[in-house]
Amino acid sequence: MKAVLQEKFRATFGREPAIIVRAPGRIEFIGNHTDYNGGPVLGAAIDRGVWVALAPRTDGVWQLASAQKDGVVRLRGGDLTKHSGATSWVNYPLGVIDALRAFGLGVPPGFDYFAGSDLPLGAGLSSSAAIELASALALTRAAGAEPARDVLVKACRHAENHFVGVPCGILDQGVSGFGRRNHLVFIDCRGPRFEVVPLPEGVHFWIFNTHTKHALVDGLYAARHRECMEAARVLGVGLLVEAPLGALAAAAGRLAPVAEKRARHIIEEIGRVDATVRALRAGDLTSVGRLLTASHRSSQMLFENSTPELDFLVDTLVATPHVFGARLTGGGFGGAVMAMTSAAFSPALAAGVAAAYEQTFGARPDILHTLTADGAQVL
Ligand code: GLA
């Protein structure tokens, strides 16, 4: 991929890139919508991601191109006007520049920029965080700066919240920034504080991407965010992480039924993340798998961010041999299901799941057998 990107950069801009970086996509392992509620979450960086090649320019012009789109977007340096339509992908690097400035970090006055990806887009694997991290790393390095990793991660979340306009937590950017091969990233989102937890040997991840709409930007995600904040307000806490489970019973009658369900999901999910860390440290994969599937059931019944397609995949997967557990991964409302399996789970078994899905829904999900990977890095 590095050589391909180098070649595309040369073909587009007629010169060599000065820097090439890669930032991974991520699996949300467990901790569904816990991040912006101040809770803990576990994710894994995966071996698919976004590459950015960049070279500074001296004439103050910004030129941006992507392997996924035709044409070059040519801008006067400093022009942070938001784009819509075919060039709206540039809002990610532009949002990052805006955020880096807000964080007091400089970018080169002019640059040529080329992005490429081998990450399925809109699958709930955080292609947006990957392009943000890759852009932030390339731009800061090209300006001669080496900001601390948590600063880079926070700037990228800032870009998503304030420029792209999604009220996301820090999971996606945190995992893309702090990922480590053969590890999960644990984030205590209150700090935020980032740690890695070793992944027991013999664990495999399979992703089933339904290609159904991932409606993050469509407001359903924002609606869940609002519902959680409203529940926290009624419970008398700043964020739901501060509310013990008993608070729900104590607030009976004051919490609307929908708010109660959302809050119960978050509070119980926080407990599941902590239990998952303990089970991982004990190497108890059966318990980890059960927690993953329980997380999905809670998304399905309480947080109501699953879909019939995702539920079908989870039901089919957990009835398939060598699967420890399965759940939707990411914001929900479509996207992908992740299964944690032993090494004995095979392409034939995955194809069986896909065939059953096709019989019911008339389309085949994409299957991705993925490994964990390191976080954003200069290549
Ligand atoms: C999306 C958001 C994350 C997180 C998950 C749900 O991926 O970007 O911040 O909230 O949804 O857990």
Side-chain angles (χ1 to χ4, degrees), residues 26 28 30-37 41 124-126 128-129 157 160-161 166-173 214 216 221 225 265-266 269 303 305 327-332:
R26 65 101 188 88
E28 176 189 285
I30 192 166
N32 195 237
H33 289 251
T34 52
D35 60 357
Y36 57 81
N37 287 294
V41 60
L125 299 176
S126 274
S128 55
R157 178 188 176 194
E160 186 85 35
N161 289 167
V166 183
C168 68
I170 200 140
L171 163 68
D172 309 343
Q173 293 80 13
H214 183 259
L216 261 193
Y221 183 90
H225 185 277
H265 166 79
I266 298 299
E269 184 78 348
F303 212 63
N305 60 334
R327 60 182 295 276
L328 67 82
T329 185

